């Protein structure tokens, strides 16, 4: 994979600086962008654009350079870029193959939901007959106000 990436980067560099300044045989993994190739900033921008067209947005040369200090940028080799691109493209391939891989677990039918068992609700009270009023609700064990009450005032008091 690295030789392919190296060949592609070399081809891009030849396209950017011209083959009269750069012979394809001269570019190796140890070739530096500053010392060996004397790449100018505008040429880095052109390389970033070609890399973007070839590898997509995941290979962001400017973002890769932004993570480095000035000394590291000046000393950067073609091999560092090749390794970076290889790592990014390998991760992209792994993600895309995982997304398109068939399911290996057998499909099972989900369980059918069973209706919940509940205690039946108490029947609703009957509606009052027309022309009558509804009895008032009372607590269990207490006489209904509509029930007849005995008149105790006529009962003689017991002598005691």
């Amino acid at each position: 994979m690295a030789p392919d990436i190296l060949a592609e980067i070399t081809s891009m560099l030849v396209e950017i600086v011209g083959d009269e300044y750069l012979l394809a045989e001269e570019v190796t993994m140890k070739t530096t962008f500053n010392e060996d190739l004397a790449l100018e900033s505008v040429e880095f921008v052109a390389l970033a654009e070609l890399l973007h067209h070839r590898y997509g947005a995941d290979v962001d040369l400017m973002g890769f350079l932004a993570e480095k200090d000035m000394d590291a940028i000046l000393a950067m080799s073609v091999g560092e870029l090749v390794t970076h691109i290889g790592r990014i493209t390998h991760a992209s391939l792994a993600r895309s193959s995982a997304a398109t891989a068939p399911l290996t677990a057998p499909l099972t039918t989900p369980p059918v939901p069973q209706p919940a068992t509940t205690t039946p609700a108490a029947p609703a009270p009957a509606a009052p007959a027309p022309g009558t009023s509804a009895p008032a609700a009372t607590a269990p064990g207490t006489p209904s106000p509509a029930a007849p009450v005995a008149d105790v005032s006529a009962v003689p008091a017991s002598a005691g």
Side-chain angles (χ1 to χ4, degrees):
M1 184 182 211
D4 295 338
I5 298 171
L6 177 61
E8 289 179 347
I9 290 175
T10 301
S11 173
M12 291 175 191
L13 290 169
V14 167
E15 182 179 334
I16 293 167
V17 299
D19 57 358
E20 63 273 2
Y21 296 106
L22 179 72
L23 297 175
E25 297 83 48
E26 294 177 4
V27 179
T28 68
M29 294 289 277
K30 293 182 181 180
T31 302
T32 62
F33 288 101
N34 186 46
E35 290 265 334
D36 299 327
L37 300 176
L39 222 60
E40 308 251 341
S41 59
V42 74
E43 294 165 329
F44 262 112
V45 172
L47 179 60
E49 187 175 318
L50 291 174
L51 290 170
H52 178 77
H53 285 298
R54 169 61 182 92
Y55 295 105
D58 287 342
V59 176
D60 177 14
L61 178 58
M62 294 304 141
F64 179 62
L65 293 175
E67 296 173 357
K68 299 179 174 294
D69 64 19
M70 185 56 75
D71 291 335
I73 292 171
L74 293 174
M76 190 173 81
S77 69
V78 173
E80 288 177 71
L81 183 57
V82 168
T83 301
H84 172 69
I85 293 170
R87 203 172 30 247
I88 297 294
T89 56
H90 179 73
S92 293
L93 289 174
R95 280 194 308 271
S96 67
S97 65
T100 59
L103 295 174
T104 55
L107 296 176
T108 58
T109 306
V112 177
Q114 299 297 320
T117 56
T118 59
T119 308
T132 62
S133 63
T138 59
T142 59
S144 170
V149 178
D151 183 12
V152 289
S153 59
V155 178
S158 61

